[in-house]
Coordinates of all heavy atoms in Angstrom, one line a residue:
V173 N -63.1 -1.4 77.2 CA -63.0 -0.1 77.9 C -64.0 -0.2 79.1 O -65.0 -0.9 79.0 CB -63.5 1.0 76.9 CG1 -64.8 0.8 76.4 CG2 -63.4 2.4 77.6
S174 N -63.7 0.4 80.2 CA -64.6 0.5 81.3 C -64.6 1.9 81.9 O -63.6 2.6 81.7 CB -64.2 -0.5 82.4 OG -63.0 -0.2 82.9
T175 N -65.6 2.2 82.5 CA -65.7 3.6 83.0 C -66.7 3.7 84.2 O -67.6 2.9 84.3 CB -66.2 4.6 81.9 OG1 -66.0 5.9 82.3 CG2 -67.6 4.4 81.5
P176 N -66.5 4.6 85.1 CA -67.4 4.7 86.3 C -68.8 5.2 85.8 O -68.8 6.1 85.0 CB -66.8 5.7 87.2 CG -65.4 5.9 86.7 CD -65.4 5.5 85.2
V177 N -69.8 4.6 86.3 CA -71.2 5.0 85.9 C -72.1 5.1 87.1 O -72.0 4.2 88.0 CB -71.7 3.9 84.9 CG1 -73.2 4.3 84.5 CG2 -70.9 3.8 83.7
G178 N -72.9 6.0 87.2 CA -73.9 6.2 88.2 C -75.3 6.2 87.7 O -75.6 5.9 86.5
T179 N -76.2 6.6 88.6 CA -77.6 6.6 88.2 C -78.0 8.0 87.6 O -79.0 8.2 87.0 CB -78.6 6.4 89.4 OG1 -78.2 7.3 90.4 CG2 -78.5 5.0 89.9
D180 N -77.1 9.0 87.9 CA -77.5 10.4 87.6 C -77.2 10.8 86.2 O -77.7 11.9 85.8 CB -76.8 11.3 88.6 CG -75.3 11.1 88.6 OD1 -74.8 10.1 88.0 OD2 -74.6 12.0 89.0
A181 N -76.3 10.1 85.4 CA -76.0 10.6 84.1 C -75.7 9.5 83.1 O -75.2 8.4 83.5 CB -74.8 11.5 84.2
W182 N -76.0 9.8 81.9 CA -75.6 8.8 80.8 C -74.1 9.0 80.6 O -73.6 10.1 80.5 CB -76.4 9.1 79.6 CG -77.8 8.6 79.6 CD1 -78.9 9.4 80.0 CD2 -78.3 7.3 79.4 NE1 -80.0 8.6 79.9 CE2 -79.7 7.3 79.6 CE3 -77.7 6.1 79.0 CZ2 -80.5 6.2 79.4 CZ3 -78.5 5.0 78.8 CH2 -79.8 5.0 79.0
V183 N -73.4 7.9 80.4 CA -72.0 7.9 80.2 C -71.7 7.1 78.9 O -72.3 6.0 78.7 CB -71.2 7.3 81.4 CG1 -69.7 7.2 81.1 CG2 -71.5 8.1 82.7
E184 N -70.7 7.6 78.1 CA -70.4 6.8 76.9 C -69.2 5.9 77.1 O -68.2 6.2 77.6 CB -70.0 7.8 75.8 CG -69.8 7.2 74.5 CD -69.4 8.1 73.4 OE1 -68.7 9.2 73.7 OE2 -69.6 7.9 72.2
L185 N -69.4 4.6 76.7 CA -68.3 3.7 76.6 C -68.0 3.7 75.1 O -68.8 3.3 74.3 CB -68.8 2.3 77.0 CG -69.1 2.0 78.5 CD1 -69.8 0.7 78.6 CD2 -67.7 1.9 79.2
R186 N -66.8 4.1 74.8 CA -66.4 4.3 73.4 C -65.0 3.8 73.2 O -64.1 4.1 74.0 CB -66.5 5.8 73.1 CG -66.2 6.1 71.7 CD -66.2 7.7 71.5 NE -66.0 8.0 70.2 CZ -66.9 8.2 69.3 NH1 -68.2 8.1 69.6 NH2 -66.7 8.5 68.1
T187 N -64.8 3.1 72.1 CA -63.5 2.6 71.9 C -63.3 2.2 70.4 O -64.3 1.9 69.7 CB -63.2 1.3 72.7 OG1 -61.8 0.9 72.5 CG2 -64.1 0.2 72.4
A188 N -62.1 2.2 69.9 CA -61.8 1.7 68.6 C -61.6 0.2 68.8 O -61.0 -0.3 69.8 CB -60.6 2.3 68.0
Y189 N -62.0 -0.6 67.8 CA -61.8 -2.1 67.9 C -61.6 -2.7 66.5 O -62.4 -2.4 65.6 CB -63.0 -2.7 68.6 CG -62.8 -4.2 68.7 CD1 -61.9 -4.8 69.6 CD2 -63.7 -5.1 68.0 CE1 -61.7 -6.2 69.7 CE2 -63.5 -6.5 68.1 CZ -62.6 -7.0 68.9 OH -62.4 -8.4 69.0
T190 N -60.6 -3.6 66.4 CA -60.5 -4.3 65.2 C -60.6 -5.8 65.5 O -59.8 -6.3 66.3 CB -59.1 -4.0 64.5 OG1 -58.9 -2.6 64.3 CG2 -58.9 -4.8 63.2
L191 N -61.6 -6.4 64.9 CA -61.8 -7.9 65.1 C -60.6 -8.6 64.4 O -60.5 -8.5 63.2 CB -63.1 -8.3 64.5 CG -63.5 -9.8 64.7 CD1 -63.8 -10.1 66.1 CD2 -64.7 -10.1 63.8
P192 N -59.8 -9.4 65.1 CA -58.7 -10.1 64.5 C -59.2 -11.1 63.4 O -60.3 -11.7 63.6 CB -58.1 -10.9 65.6 CG -58.5 -10.1 66.9 CD -59.9 -9.6 66.6
E193 N -58.5 -11.2 62.3 CA -58.8 -12.1 61.3 C -58.9 -13.5 61.9 O -58.2 -13.9 62.8 CB -57.7 -12.2 60.2 CG -57.4 -10.8 59.6 CD -58.3 -10.4 58.4 OE1 -59.2 -11.2 58.1 OE2 -58.1 -9.4 57.8
G194 N -59.8 -14.3 61.3 CA -59.9 -15.7 61.8 C -60.8 -15.8 63.0 O -61.1 -17.0 63.5
S195 N -61.4 -14.7 63.5 CA -62.3 -14.8 64.7 C -63.6 -15.3 64.2 O -64.1 -15.0 63.1 CB -62.4 -13.5 65.4 OG -61.2 -12.9 65.6
Q196 N -64.3 -16.0 65.1 CA -65.7 -16.4 64.8 C -66.6 -16.0 65.9 O -66.2 -15.9 67.1 CB -65.7 -17.9 64.6 CG -65.1 -18.2 63.2 CD -64.9 -19.7 63.1 OE1 -64.6 -20.4 64.0 NE2 -65.0 -20.2 61.8
H197 N -67.9 -15.9 65.6 CA -69.0 -15.7 66.6 C -68.7 -14.5 67.5 O -68.7 -14.6 68.7 CB -69.2 -16.9 67.5 CG -69.4 -18.2 66.6 ND1 -70.4 -18.2 65.6 CD2 -68.8 -19.3 66.7 CE1 -70.3 -19.4 65.1 NE2 -69.4 -20.1 65.7
P198 N -68.4 -13.3 66.9 CA -68.1 -12.2 67.8 C -69.4 -11.7 68.4 O -70.5 -11.7 67.7 CB -67.6 -11.1 66.9 CG -68.1 -11.5 65.5 CD -68.3 -13.0 65.5
E199 N -69.4 -11.4 69.7 CA -70.5 -10.8 70.4 C -70.1 -9.6 71.2 O -69.0 -9.7 71.8 CB -71.1 -11.9 71.3 CG -71.7 -13.1 70.6 CD -72.1 -14.2 71.6 OE1 -71.3 -14.5 72.5 OE2 -73.1 -14.8 71.4
L200 N -70.9 -8.6 71.3 CA -70.6 -7.5 72.1 C -71.4 -7.6 73.4 O -72.5 -7.9 73.4 CB -71.1 -6.2 71.4 CG -70.9 -4.9 72.1 CD1 -69.4 -4.5 72.2 CD2 -71.6 -3.8 71.2
Y201 N -70.7 -7.3 74.5 CA -71.5 -7.2 75.7 C -71.1 -6.2 76.7 O -70.0 -5.7 76.8 CB -71.9 -8.6 76.3 CG -70.8 -9.4 76.9 CD1 -70.4 -9.3 78.3 CD2 -70.3 -10.5 76.2 CE1 -69.5 -10.1 78.8 CE2 -69.4 -11.4 76.8 CZ -69.0 -11.2 78.1 OH -68.1 -12.0 78.7
V202 N -72.2 -5.7 77.4 CA -72.0 -4.7 78.4 C -72.2 -5.4 79.7 O -73.1 -6.1 80.0 CB -73.2 -3.7 78.3 CG1 -73.0 -2.6 79.4 CG2 -73.2 -3.0 76.9

Side-chain angles (χ1 to χ4, degrees):
V173 60
S174 63
T175 193
V177 178
T179 52
D180 56 343
W182 286 95
V183 175
E184 186 185 26
L185 287 166
R186 182 186 182 89
T187 184
Y189 178 68
T190 302
L191 180 70
E193 305 275 2
S195 308
Q196 285 170 328
H197 309 306
E199 295 169 320
L200 177 66
Y201 64 86
V202 179

